[in-house]
Every structure is written in structure tokens, then in C-alpha cells.
Amino acid sequence: LKQLNDNIDLTVSDLNGDLAGLKLSGGLRAVLAEDRKLDGSLNIDVAAWDKLAALTGQKLSGEPAKMVLTLTSAEDGQAAEAVLDLPGLRLNNGRETILSFKKTALNFSGRKLFTQPSLDLNLALGAGLAGPFSWQAGQVTAKGLDGRGDLSADLSQARLNGKGGGRADGLKLE
């Protein structure tokens, strides 16, 4: 940690640790000044969902997951990219599965985050369920510029399970 004039420069390098089933590695540099800058990357790996479950009070299980967050300060502004690969996850409250999904991938990118944010998000879902709602596959995309944007979602073979439930070949939101 350095303080130069009114600027604070914080660097964390060679970050490497394990906490509750999460393995965290990478390094970051933050310059807190009139022109804020964040640079570096973090890698988060989840191999043991049962250890992470102790923090949630719910039963978690699933396949190993990986997330990479990259932060870059450039002449035209702050940028961030995140990639999540989640092959499968199940959340059980002790009586029933309340959330489950397979083959989920998230890609996010943002530009000019501190001035005129431009965001892109793409979420690809495999088969899953959330409470009484289930689907076979899905896609969610969002694009935004400075607080305005577009959102679309498409789920195939969506169904409301249980009494009075319905079924649709697809569900679209735009």
C-alpha cells in the first residue's frame, strides 16, 4: 500500500488461498485517485461444494466450477471480463431440490465502467429447475450502454411443475 499525494496505490500479488472449498488465485492492483484504475485477474475454482455448503446452511452439490475475472484499465476507461463455467449444481433444503442446473456458462464484458458503462452478458443454461419451474435449455443475453439496454431470455420446454402447472414449448422474453 502506497500513498502518493492524494492517490492510494494498493497491490496484491501472488494471491493464493483456499477457503470453504474455494480456491482463489491471482493478483490485483487498485489505484484510487481521480482516475480510478483496477488491473489484474482472479481465478476462482470450486471443487468441493459440500465445504461451501457450510456457509449457506443448505446442501450444495455439483461438479467442479471455474470463474475467471480480468480487470484492465486502458486509455478509454476501465474494463472487466468474467467467464464462468459451471457444469452442474444442486441446492437442497433438506426436503427437496430447490435449484438445479447443468452445463451453465456465463460470459460478461464491460467497458468504460466508471464513465459511460457498456455491458454485454451472455448466459447459456442447460437443463434445470428453480422451485416449481423447470426448463430443458436456455439463453439469456443482455446488452447495455450507460443505463439503457436490451434484455432477452429464451427457455426451451419450460414447465411449471405441480398442481395446476402448465407446459410451454418455449418461453421468450425480449
Side-chain angles (χ1 to χ4, degrees), residues 109-131:
S109 66
R111 304 278 181 258
K112 298 183 181 182
L113 295 177
F114 299 141
T115 54
Q116 294 179 307
S118 171
L119 308 173
D120 288 308
L121 176 126
N122 186 359
L123 176 64
L125 298 166
L129 70 88

Side-chain angles (χ1 to χ4, degrees), residues 116-119 142-151:
Q116 294 179 307
S118 171
L119 308 173
K143 293 181 182 284
L145 176 62
D146 201 18
R148 294 178 299 276
D150 298 313
L151 171 70

Side-chain angles (χ1 to χ4, degrees), residues 6-10 28-40 71-80 111-117 146:
D6 290 334
N7 299 341
I8 295 176
D9 189 337
L10 173 65
L28 290 175
R29 179 176 181 220
V31 177
L32 305 176
E34 188 175 319
D35 295 332
R36 296 166 293 211
K37 296 179 182 179
L38 298 170
D39 290 288
L71 301 166
T72 309
S73 61
E75 202 170 292
D76 67 341
Q78 182 68 48
R111 304 278 181 258
K112 298 183 181 182
L113 295 177
F114 299 141
T115 54
Q116 294 179 307
D146 201 18

Side-chain angles (χ1 to χ4, degrees), residues 93-113:
N93 66 6
R95 295 182 311 276
E96 62 185 340
T97 299
I98 55 176
L99 178 68
S100 173
F101 45 85
K102 297 180 181 179
K103 298 179 184 173
T104 298
L106 171 76
N107 290 292
F108 166 82
S109 66
R111 304 278 181 258
K112 298 183 181 182
L113 295 177

Side-chain angles (χ1 to χ4, degrees), residues 98 129-134 159-162:
I98 55 176
L129 70 88
F133 188 68
S134 64
R159 174 169 62 196
L160 185 59
N161 302 314

Side-chain angles (χ1 to χ4, degrees), residues 138-158:
Q139 186 81 22
V140 177
T141 59
K143 293 181 182 284
L145 176 62
D146 201 18
R148 294 178 299 276
D150 298 313
L151 171 70
S152 67
D154 186 2
L155 296 175
S156 67
Q157 296 180 17

